[in-house]
């Protein structure tokens, strides 16, 4: 923590208020009251929130001074590392991370034949599912859509969607359990958490046989990771393969699925853009669909924060920030700042159709720098395909039963709508009766 913390104000919140509002609202309140550089917490345990575009410019120019930290148990980074081990998203800086990045990058290429197939298949499944009067909640549908998009590309046909869906459900539950337990447990105790041990065994029993039977010249992610790490000759690398697979699966499903939920939520309230997507689709163009996805990611980025730790003393805005300080950067707060975006709370996809290049410090829904999301091109392609496909077949609007409070964000694993979102869908290709989609 900074030795001259008087240069930077503190924003403290009671446990009861924190539990009621959630961290995202606490951060918004802190910035509203004190500006875009503020400590959140008490003086014994605080995180420095840097919520200005100039802070992102500083980060880009001094990225080596902001490694990803893992030594604070209440942080998502540490809990994620306990769950995912040497996954790309949780690796420490250095050779471990570089290896994970090098292995993963070609395996999440949207031009991959299996992933292209998954993107098209999941878009058609989404369209069919939304027509089904017995469908589940919209959030579950979006998460299943995201899972379907990558399942075969990652695992082939050896694991069913039901198996993978169950595994991810356990992952989410245990992640939240460990976050809740972290403030009162040490690292070793968390690593021995009974739920964690059971989960790791479940993962190994599910994915282990796929590694043992991986083809030498296969095309799935599990096969290509096994080839690259030569698991037959180096059986100790099996754990790395499992961690990379689980990390990629969790990120690909949860972040992309909730991003689709937000896209549909915004688009349902702006039918004029649905028509523009439809008109462009007839010319085999997707410019507006892509702009809608980007505008949704601007207004409601699912990765609302990313955390780093200062490696050395730094001077920022005239204040000295000590080495070892936990720092939060926030796409959510920068994207909604009127200093960078005119009418920041309005949904205007046209922002992304102009010729002017948007500065990277203004728009970074997939993080920024060398640790940005390795699967961002795949996610953009999946989301754009889904939006384009749905607009060709449906007109949809927000159902009157959707309460305004349901659309306020809740930040846990990511930023999602707080309550159930309901649509009314009108099929453009059949005479089916309009039906609400919950």
């Amino acid at each position: 923590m900074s030795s001259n913390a008087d240069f930077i104000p503190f924003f403290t919140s009671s446990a009861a208020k924190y539990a009621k509002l959630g961290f995202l609202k606490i951060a918004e309140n802190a910035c509203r009251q004190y500006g875009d550089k503020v400590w959140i917490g008490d003086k014994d345990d605080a995180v420095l929130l840097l919520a200005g575009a100039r802070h992102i410019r500083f980060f880009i120019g001094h990225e080596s001074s902001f490694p990803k930290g893992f030594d604070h148990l209440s942080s998502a980074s540490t809990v994620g590392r306990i769950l995912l081990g040497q996954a790309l998203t949780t690796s420490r800086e250095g050779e471990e991370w570089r290896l994970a990045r090098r292995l993963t990058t070609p395996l999440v290429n949207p031009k991959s034949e299996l992933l292209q197939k998954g993107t098209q298949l999941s878009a058609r499944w989404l369209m069919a599912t939304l027509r089904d009067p017995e469908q589940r909640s919209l959030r579950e549908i979006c998460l299943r859509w995201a899972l379907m998009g990558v399942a075969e590309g990652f695992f082939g046909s050896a694991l069913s969607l039901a198996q993978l869906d169950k595994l991810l459900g356990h992952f989410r539950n245990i992640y939240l359990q460990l976050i809740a337990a972290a403030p009162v447990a040490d690292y070793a105790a968390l690593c021995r958490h009974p739920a964690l041990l059971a989960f790791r065994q479940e993962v190994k029993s599910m994915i282990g046989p796929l590694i043992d039977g991986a083809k030498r010249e296969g095309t799935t992610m599990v096969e290509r990771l096994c080839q690259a790490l030569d698991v037959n000759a180096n059986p100790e690398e099996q754990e790395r393969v499992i961690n990379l697979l689980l990390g990629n699966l969790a990120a690909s499903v949860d972040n992309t699925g909730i991003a689709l939920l937000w896209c549909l939520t915004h688009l349902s309230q702006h039918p004029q853009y649905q028509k523009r997507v439809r008109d462009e689709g007839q010319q085999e163009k997707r410019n507006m669909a892509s702009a809608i996805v980007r505008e949704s990611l601007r207004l409601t980025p699912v990765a609302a924060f990313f955390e780093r730790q200062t490696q050395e003393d730094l001077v920022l805005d005239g204040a000295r920030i000590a080495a070892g300080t936990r720092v939060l950067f926030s796409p959510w707060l920068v994207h909604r700042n009127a200093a960078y975006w005119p009418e920041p709370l309005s949904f205007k996809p046209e922002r992304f159709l102009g010729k002017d290049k948007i500065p990277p410090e203004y728009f970074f829904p997939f993080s920024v720098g060398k640790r940005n999301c390795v699967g961002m091109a795949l996610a953009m392609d999946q989301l754009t395909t889904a939006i384009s496909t749905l607009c060709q077949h449906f007109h949809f609007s927000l159902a009157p039963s959707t309460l305004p409070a349901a659309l306020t964000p809740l930040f846990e694993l990511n930023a999602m709508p707080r309550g159930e979102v309901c649509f009314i869908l009108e099929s453009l290709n059949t005479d089916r009766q309009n039906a609400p989609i919950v």
Side-chain angles (χ1 to χ4, degrees):
M1 189 178 297
S2 172
S3 61
N4 62 338
D6 55 298
F7 280 91
I8 305 175
F10 271 87
F11 183 89
T12 58
S13 180
S14 68
K17 191 171 185 180
Y18 180 94
K20 180 180 179 181
L21 296 178
F23 183 79
L24 185 56
K25 192 63 177 180
I26 294 293
E28 288 179 330
N29 290 345
C31 287
R32 189 176 298 113
Q33 185 170 343
Y34 292 113
D36 60 13
K37 184 170 81 276
V38 57
W39 292 105
I40 296 182
D42 57 50
K43 293 192 176 183
D44 295 323
D45 183 20
V47 61
L48 179 60
L49 176 63
L50 299 176
R54 70 188 184 284
H55 301 135
I56 301 302
R57 284 195 298 272
F58 186 88
F59 171 80
I60 292 171
H62 302 81
E63 190 171 357
S64 62
S65 299
F66 292 93
K68 198 165 186 177
F70 298 94
D71 60 354
H72 196 280
L73 277 181
S74 63
S75 74
S77 295
T78 300
V79 169
R81 187 169 177 81
I82 291 171
L83 261 172
L84 298 175
Q86 297 170 323
L88 175 62
T89 55
T90 59
S91 296
R92 296 181 185 275
E93 303 291 348
E95 184 57 33
E96 177 186 291
W97 177 83
R98 284 190 289 271
L99 174 61
R101 184 87 180 191
R102 177 172 60 80
L103 290 172
T104 302
T105 299
L107 303 182
V108 290
N109 186 337
K111 295 181 180 179
S112 157
E113 184 176 346
L114 280 177
L115 290 177
Q116 281 186 335
K117 176 183 175 183
T119 295
Q120 296 298 328
L121 177 66
S122 61
R124 293 195 296 271
W125 174 87
L126 181 65
M127 183 176 64
T129 300
L130 292 178
R131 283 196 175 110
D132 182 357
E134 301 298 327
Q135 77 288 343
R136 298 155 298 171
S137 79
L138 187 61
R139 178 177 177 274
E140 291 179 0
I141 289 172
C142 289
L143 290 173
R144 176 59 72 97
W145 161 82
L147 175 59
M148 183 174 289
V150 298
E152 187 172 356
F154 286 9
F155 301 99
S157 58
L159 295 178
S160 69
L161 289 176
Q163 287 176 296
L164 293 171
D165 199 25
K166 182 180 178 181
L167 183 70
L168 285 170
H170 290 176
F171 172 83
R172 297 178 193 113
N173 291 336
I174 293 165
Y175 183 93
L176 295 175
Q177 283 184 55
L178 294 183
I179 286 286
V184 295
D186 59 25
Y187 187 92
L190 280 184
C191 290
R192 297 191 302 270
H193 194 290
L196 172 65
L197 296 179
F199 174 72
R200 293 298 300 180
Q201 183 57 43
E202 177 187 8
V203 173
K204 190 170 183 178
S205 63
M206 183 178 293
I207 299 178
L210 301 185
I211 296 173
D212 294 337
K215 298 177 183 178
R216 291 187 177 183
E217 299 297 330
T219 57
T220 65
M221 179 179 284
V222 63
E223 290 166 342
R224 294 180 67 182
L225 285 173
C226 288
Q227 295 161 20
L229 293 170
D230 196 3
V231 173
N232 288 335
N234 304 287
E236 70 278 4
E237 294 287 10
Q238 183 177 112
E239 190 71 16
R240 188 190 299 273
V241 172
I242 290 174
N243 293 336
L244 287 172
L245 285 165
L246 183 58
N248 276 286
L249 181 66
S252 297
V253 173
D254 283 70
N255 289 345
T256 311
I258 297 304
L260 178 64
L261 178 56
W262 280 120
C263 284
L264 296 177
T265 299
H266 293 303
L267 195 52
S268 70
Q269 299 172 79
H270 299 89
Q272 72 274 23
Y273 294 118
Q274 298 177 37
K275 184 178 186 305
R276 290 183 62 177
V277 171
R278 196 173 303 124
D279 292 344
E280 278 196 346
Q282 294 173 356
Q283 304 173 42
E284 298 185 349
K285 295 181 179 179
R286 307 201 312 175
N287 294 341
M288 177 52 72
S290 177
I292 286 167
V293 171
R294 293 177 189 275
E295 177 66 348
S296 179
L297 290 170
R298 181 197 67 81
L299 194 56
T300 46
V302 294
F305 304 94
F306 64 91
E307 183 178 347
R308 295 292 185 268
Q309 188 175 72
T310 56
Q311 184 164 281
E312 59 213 23
D313 289 358
L314 299 170
V315 176
L316 184 61
D317 295 344
R320 188 179 73 83
I321 312 301
T325 297
R326 292 170 58 220
V327 177
L328 283 182
F329 297 98
S330 178
W332 186 282
L333 295 171
V334 172
H335 290 184
R336 291 168 159 249
N337 192 321
Y340 320 124
W341 299 92
E343 300 181 66
L345 300 186
S346 296
F347 185 75
K348 295 186 173 183
E350 294 90 349
R351 304 176 200 269
F352 294 93
L353 293 176
K355 295 181 180 179
D356 294 338
K357 186 177 180 180
I358 296 172
E361 64 268 28
Y362 287 6
F363 180 68
F364 49 104
F366 298 99
S367 189
V368 70
K370 65 183 180 181
R371 291 194 75 119
N372 63 1
C373 175
V374 70
M376 58 184 173
L378 175 61
M380 282 298 303
D381 185 60
Q382 292 172 320
L383 291 164
T384 302
T385 299
I387 292 300
S388 181
T389 301
L390 289 180
C391 286
Q392 297 305 315
H393 295 86
F394 295 111
H395 172 274
F396 47 99
S397 57
L398 201 64
S401 58
T402 300
L403 301 175
L407 303 182
T408 60
L410 172 67
F411 180 68
E412 288 183 339
L413 285 172
N414 43 39
M416 67 180 72
R418 190 174 294 266
E420 289 288 359
V421 181
C422 305
F423 294 161
I424 294 177
L425 265 71
E426 175 187 355
S427 177
L428 300 175
N429 301 324
T430 71
D431 295 327
R432 290 175 183 269
Q433 186 177 1
N434 297 357
I437 302 297
V438 180

